[in-house]
Each structure stands twice: as C-alpha cells, then as structure tokens.
Amino acid sequence: MKKPAYTLLLLLLILFTAGTDALASSIQETLNYQLTWAGVKIGTSTLATTSVGNTLEITSKVKSEPWSAPFYKVDDLETSKLERGGKGFSLHSYKMKLREGRNDWYRAASVNRKSRKFDFVNLKSFEKSSASLVEPAWDPVSSLFYLRQVPLTVGKNVEVNVLDKGKLNRVKVSVLRRETVQTPAGTFRTIVISPNMDIESEGLFYARGPLTIWLTDDARKVPVIIEKRINDLFREGIPAYLQQFTPETVRSNIPKMETIRAVLVGGNY
C-alpha cells in the first residue's frame, strides 16, 4: 500500500452501525470520534443513528483535517437504512460516496426479498449486478451494530455477513479480552473484539491488517476505541513529507507508524 498516512483514517469507518434482524431496537445515537496517527490528529468522524417510523437510518461521515488537504483530502459519506420486520430490523439499502485524494467511489446496494437477491449499482458507470441473498446480512455501516446486539464471550468467535463490492463476505470476529480504557469521553470497562477483515473492497475500508475494537462492556456496547494496523504500509520507506511530522522515536516504531486510532470524544449515547 502506497497511500499517504492520512488516508488511513478511512479504515476506521467499519466500526459503526445499525440493528439486527432479531434483536435490534430503536436507537437515537450520535458518536463523535477523533482520528490520530502517530499522535497527530488527522481527522474526525461522526456516526448518527435515527429512527423514524419503521425505518432506522445510520449516517457515517468522515473528514480529514484541513492541513492535510495538499497531501490527501478526505470527505466521505455513507448511509445505511434498515427496516423493521418482526422483532427487529433488517437491511433495506446502503449508499456510499467516498472521496479520497484523487480517487472517488460512488455505489449503492439494496435488498430484494421477493427475488432473494442483493441488487448493486455503480453510481458512476451505472453498471448493475446482483448476488444471492443470505440473511442476516449487513453493509459496512450496519455490520457492527449486529455485533453490538449479540452476546459476546471472551474466547469465542462470532460470524457476520458483510455486503460489499457486489458480494457477500463471511467475516469472523474474535472476542479477545476485557479491559478498562480511558478516553476523552470518560473511563470505560470494555470488551475487545477483532474482526478478520481480509476481504476485497474498494477504497481503504478493508485493508489487510489487524483491526481491534473496544466496546463498552454493557448492554449498549458503544465502540469507544478502534485501532487499525496496515501491515507493510511503509515497506518502501517513510515518505519525506511524513518524516517532518514524526520524531525519530516514532519512525523507528513500525507497528506504531502503521496504526491509526479512533477515540470517542463525545456525543449522545
């Protein structure tokens, strides 16, 4: 991977989310995060979940810091819509518009339960495709809320179907440990999970490498810290323009150089 480090903040958006077919309930929630790399603030993200009638909508936004614009400007928006059916919610549709440096991706997906298909469309080329519906299934925004609703037991794995780039991916999530952490939003007892995001995707949401999420160890399971490491990010060396932002002690710590962190700083939850 050769993208500037500022793009790494995009990887963190998988953390956020919406309901499960069996367990979800209406939620009004706003989560605000600060994104940092090597201790430097590189962006912010906001997750807002609203409920109107039988529809649950989750909006995810991420923006890079103004100072990073000459290197790599980021302005992303994702929207996931769920519909109530039976005891909970299930996926209705998903739309994403990502602008990352010189790249942009604009696509949508919807569920057709009559034909038991996922329908996809590239909103730039208008190319269409479809895939078989396997439920319960979630888009990149709504997938974590599923995890926030199911019981998590340390040492046991959970699996979730994630819909992305025209196909369905089976993602294994390891439940690692319990840990108390401090954030600007407070001190939290958490349960730590690690999704195996070794899947194909456009943009940088699912870059290969460890992803770790700290959820509050309570019924809400609010994501309070998310860390993403991109292995071999700087295998060809650290670009000169990044070296000026990082001291030698950081440059010599490759795991730290390859890791982005999102930390909860406030909101309503």
Side-chain angles (χ1 to χ4, degrees):
M1 179 167 303
K2 302 179 182 179
K3 301 288 187 182
Y6 310 111
T7 65
L8 304 185
L9 64 92
L10 303 171
L11 299 166
L12 302 170
L13 293 182
I14 80 173
L15 46 134
F16 312 114
T17 72
T20 75
D21 189 45
L23 299 173
S25 59
S26 299
I27 290 178
Q28 305 289 336
E29 182 178 70
T30 300
L31 304 175
N32 299 321
Y33 296 84
Q34 178 174 284
L35 310 179
T36 60
W37 167 77
V40 178
K41 182 180 178 182
I42 58 174
T44 58
S45 65
T46 300
L47 241 293
T49 302
T50 58
S51 179
V52 179
N54 291 324
T55 300
L56 195 68
E57 180 170 296
I58 309 97
T59 302
S60 171
K61 298 179 181 179
V62 60
K63 288 184 179 291
S64 55
E65 288 295 287
W67 64 265
S68 69
F71 309 106
Y72 204 91
K73 183 178 181 179
V74 174
D75 187 2
D76 289 355
L77 174 65
E78 293 178 279
T79 303
S80 176
K81 291 185 178 181
L82 310 181
E83 59 184 1
R84 185 182 295 276
K87 297 180 180 179
F89 290 93
S90 56
L91 180 62
H92 176 270
S93 60
Y94 165 73
K95 182 182 288 187
M96 56 87 84
K97 189 172 186 179
L98 310 183
R99 293 190 176 184
E100 309 169 7
R102 297 180 180 179
N103 302 311
D104 64 272
W105 295 272
Y106 190 15
R107 64 177 184 263
S110 60
V111 175
N112 187 332
R113 289 190 167 81
K114 289 185 178 180
S115 60
R116 298 195 60 76
K117 295 284 186 180
F118 286 112
D119 295 323
F120 307 91
V121 58
N122 183 318
L123 296 173
K124 293 181 65 180
S125 66
F126 296 102
E127 180 181 358
K128 297 181 180 180
S129 61
S130 63
S132 297
L133 173 61
V134 178
E135 295 195 278
W138 312 98
D139 57 65
V141 173
S142 65
S143 57
L144 185 60
F145 192 80
Y146 170 77
L147 295 172
R148 292 175 62 185
Q149 303 299 310
V150 300
L152 299 176
T153 302
V154 174
K156 293 187 177 181
N157 297 331
V158 177
E159 292 189 336
V160 56
N161 294 322
V162 179
L163 171 68
D164 194 42
K165 202 178 178 182
K167 62 182 181 181
L168 200 62
N169 304 275
R170 188 71 171 171
V171 175
K172 182 177 73 172
V173 181
S174 300
V175 185
L176 303 179
R177 62 186 182 275
R178 286 182 163 84
E179 184 177 342
T180 299
V181 298
Q182 292 183 331
T183 77
T187 300
F188 301 94
R189 296 177 61 185
T190 68
I191 188 164
V192 187
I193 65 173
S194 179
N196 179 7
M197 301 309 299
D198 189 17
I199 65 177
E200 183 182 1
S201 178
E202 293 176 341
L204 298 178
F205 292 100
Y206 296 107
R208 288 174 173 82
L211 172 68
T212 308
I213 304 171
W214 284 254
L215 304 172
T216 56
D217 191 11
D218 55 25
R220 295 299 303 279
K221 296 187 179 70
V222 176
V224 295
I225 300 177
I226 306 94
E227 286 189 348
K228 176 65 184 183
R229 180 179 176 185
I230 307 174
N231 295 329
D232 300 322
L233 176 63
F234 297 112
R235 63 179 179 273
E236 297 181 2
I238 301 170
Y241 68 85
L242 288 181
Q243 293 186 23
Q244 64 180 308
F245 295 108
T246 54
E248 173 59 31
T249 54
V250 175
R251 296 198 300 272
S252 62
N253 187 338
I254 295 302
K256 188 172 182 178
M257 287 290 293
E258 293 179 340
T259 301
I260 289 293
R261 168 174 273 217
V263 179
L264 185 71
V265 294
N268 300 308
Y269 49 91

